[in-house]
Amino acid sequence: MSKKTYRPYEPNQLLLLPPALQDWLPHDHFAYFLSDVVDSLDLSQIERTYERELRGYPPYHPRMMVKVLLYAYCNGVYSSRKIERRLQEDVAFRVLAANNQPDFRTISDFRKRHLKALSDLFLQVVKICKKAGLVRLGHVALDGTKIKANASKHKAMSYSRMVEEEQRLKAEIAELLQKAEQADQAEDHRFGPHRRGDELPEELRFRERRLAKIQEAKAALEAEARLRAGADEHEPPEEPGPKGPKGGRRRKRPKAEPAPTAQRNFTDPDSRIMKGSDKQFIQGYNAQAVVDADTQIVVAAAVTNQAADAPHLIPMMEQVETNVDEMPEEVSADAGYFSEQNVQWLLQRRINPYIPPEKQRHSERRRAKSPRGPIPKGATLRDRMRRKLQLKRHAERYRKREQSIEPVFGQIKEARGFRQFHLRGLEAVNGEWLLVCLCHNLLKLYAFRQAG
């Protein structure tokens, strides 16, 4: 028998007194910090939906559900089924839930039902960060990242293909209906005329469902084309009449049709085919963020289904002002955001812009020499911005962009594994992106408190 003495180990030992949840984790654990922050948030928008309905079994406490959901997102756990498993196996989850264990359906329904209210918490957390001194607005960086939609790009179809498929399916359905009619007549002759015979064959149901989806997507693309052409979405193109109001022949309105390559996805119609950071095409969205360059706090965030970045600079900067009640002193963004309109807009608001007119490789930027002499007369805004970023002191300011916002996207997509939206539709994915950025800010705020 071994003479070595070990510490007591009794897996089946019963506890005389119930353990306190506060003793399960270190006192400075992130779960306690998150719990304190959520306790300070205004959740009345969520709570009102339950207070209006007094019937039925009591629901889980909204504050507990918010804590669990935010803690899951902070730890890169986005699936409701995985959250349910964590509530059974993970100590921190059990502490936050006070040993409640809602199932995955309850978690999923809570997230979908209250997504707007949950995304509104982003603004409350930004204000907490500002109060803590983490929103300084000396320099902000703007960028976008392409994130996959909850849909396959193979479920998308071009307009020209829709037209072809529509005609093909109509012909096949007509042929199947004709065969069904012939079969009915043969069976009536064999069994009598009183057979019900209204069940559609499975292959006919499949084709009719597919035809309906294609026609719906085709109509949506045509409506978008009419809107771009300035026509009313619900008004068909005007047919030419015999005579106009003054006796002349009425001019025919040009029919607006989608481009043959215009695509629409059947699973998530709001998503679009976009080129990702790895140069591969994905079915996804363009997630935008504005970050305080000194602290990496996200002060504005939004999702769009436009692949181009330039149209989003002004709306994102307006959102910064709405969220924190002031504009930054400087803003940096990559070449995708450059346009003379954007630069003029920033200058008019006394915001110093650092936006290159064209993309430059890092090696080219290092080899570039600072220009000398006065700016040439007649230099365009593009020329002035190019010359400005060639100066050493301004080039250093521009480098704050890649030192601030790119690490934020890296932490969100690599460290916490958020590479695909879990909801569908532009409004829903916008809410989910705000939830992701909210949790990023919570982690930054926690690190700041720990360092202080």
Side-chain angles (χ1 to χ4, degrees), residues 152-336:
S152 169
K153 64 181 179 182
H154 301 295
K155 292 294 183 180
M157 185 178 289
S158 67
Y159 181 75
S160 59
R161 176 85 183 281
M162 288 179 190
V163 175
E164 295 173 3
E165 283 292 294
E166 182 181 24
Q167 298 305 319
R168 185 182 67 81
L169 287 171
K170 282 182 177 179
E172 289 185 359
I173 289 172
E175 183 181 353
L176 287 170
L177 287 173
Q178 184 179 5
K179 289 180 178 179
E181 179 66 23
Q182 293 172 354
D184 283 346
Q185 291 177 359
E187 290 177 355
D188 285 346
H189 178 73
R190 182 177 180 184
F191 301 112
H194 302 296
R195 177 182 173 274
R196 189 177 70 171
D198 60 352
E199 302 85 359
L200 285 173
E202 179 61 29
E203 57 181 341
L204 181 57
R205 286 201 299 269
F206 169 77
R207 283 168 172 77
E208 288 189 332
R209 286 196 300 267
R210 183 167 175 79
L211 176 61
K213 283 187 177 182
I214 289 174
Q215 289 176 332
E216 181 183 356
K218 181 169 169 280
L221 286 176
E222 290 169 347
E224 291 174 2
R226 286 198 297 272
L227 285 175
R228 285 194 296 270
D232 183 8
E233 179 177 349
H234 304 290
E235 184 180 337
E238 184 181 345
E239 295 296 332
K243 295 291 182 180
K246 296 183 179 179
R249 189 163 295 276
R250 185 181 300 171
R251 181 178 298 176
K252 181 179 179 180
R253 179 189 302 168
K255 185 179 179 181
E257 286 191 357
T261 55
Q263 291 193 342
R264 192 170 180 86
N265 191 277
F266 298 128
T267 307
D268 185 355
D270 288 344
S271 63
R272 297 290 184 269
I273 297 288
M274 299 181 181
K275 185 181 289 188
S277 57
D278 57 357
K279 308 302 180 184
Q280 299 296 318
F281 286 97
I282 63 170
Q283 188 76 36
Y285 290 94
N286 187 355
Q288 298 280 315
V290 180
V291 169
D292 190 298
D294 295 324
T295 60
Q296 296 185 0
I297 293 292
V298 180
V299 293
V303 173
T304 173
N305 55 12
Q306 289 180 276
D309 287 325
H312 309 306
L313 184 143
I314 295 175
M316 292 304 297
M317 298 309 298
E318 289 175 339
Q319 189 188 138
V320 171
E321 186 176 25
T322 300
N323 290 350
V324 296
D325 300 322
E326 58 181 304
M327 281 291 199
E329 298 174 9
E330 302 174 348
V331 59
S332 60
D334 63 27

Side-chain angles (χ1 to χ4, degrees), residues 2-196:
S2 174
K3 297 180 180 180
K4 180 65 178 178
T5 302
Y6 298 97
R7 298 185 186 188
Y9 173 63
E10 297 291 340
N12 298 320
Q13 180 180 1
L14 298 178
L15 299 176
L16 180 61
L17 297 174
L21 293 178
Q22 292 76 13
D23 297 335
W24 287 12
L25 296 169
H27 72 280
D28 59 348
H29 195 275
F30 175 67
Y32 294 135
F33 169 81
L34 183 143
S35 179
D36 292 339
V37 172
V38 174
D39 285 339
S40 69
L41 299 178
D42 179 10
L43 301 184
S44 57
Q45 189 176 349
I46 297 176
E47 293 168 345
R48 278 197 298 268
T49 60
Y50 297 102
E51 292 169 357
R52 286 196 291 262
E53 180 55 76
L54 302 178
R55 299 171 298 174
Y57 196 75
Y60 288 105
H61 200 290
R63 207 165 288 274
M64 181 273 289
M65 295 293 291
V66 171
K67 291 178 183 180
V68 168
L69 198 56
L70 292 186
Y71 187 77
Y73 269 67
C74 286
N75 285 275
V77 183
Y78 309 108
S79 163
S80 56
R81 286 175 170 82
K82 291 182 179 179
I83 296 174
E84 178 188 359
R85 192 177 307 122
R86 291 294 188 95
L87 286 166
Q88 299 168 357
E89 301 173 354
D90 192 299
V91 172
F93 276 86
R94 296 186 69 172
V95 167
L96 285 173
N99 249 350
N100 286 287
Q101 295 184 0
D103 61 20
F104 75 90
R105 183 56 57 199
T106 301
I107 296 168
S108 176
D109 290 345
F110 181 87
R111 175 169 54 185
K112 287 187 289 188
R113 182 181 183 185
H114 303 294
L115 185 61
K116 177 64 170 63
L118 289 169
S119 58
D120 287 346
L121 298 181
F122 169 78
L123 180 56
Q124 294 189 45
V125 172
V126 168
K127 291 185 180 298
I128 292 174
C129 292
K130 184 179 180 181
K131 190 174 181 179
L134 290 179
V135 178
R136 302 164 188 173
L137 296 186
H139 186 112
V140 300
L142 167 63
D143 204 354
T145 182
K146 306 302 191 296
I147 299 179
K148 290 182 180 179
N150 188 2
S152 169
K153 64 181 179 182
H154 301 295
K155 292 294 183 180
M157 185 178 289
S158 67
Y159 181 75
S160 59
R161 176 85 183 281
M162 288 179 190
V163 175
E164 295 173 3
E165 283 292 294
E166 182 181 24
Q167 298 305 319
R168 185 182 67 81
L169 287 171
K170 282 182 177 179
E172 289 185 359
I173 289 172
E175 183 181 353
L176 287 170
L177 287 173
Q178 184 179 5
K179 289 180 178 179
E181 179 66 23
Q182 293 172 354
D184 283 346
Q185 291 177 359
E187 290 177 355
D188 285 346
H189 178 73
R190 182 177 180 184
F191 301 112
H194 302 296
R195 177 182 173 274
R196 189 177 70 171

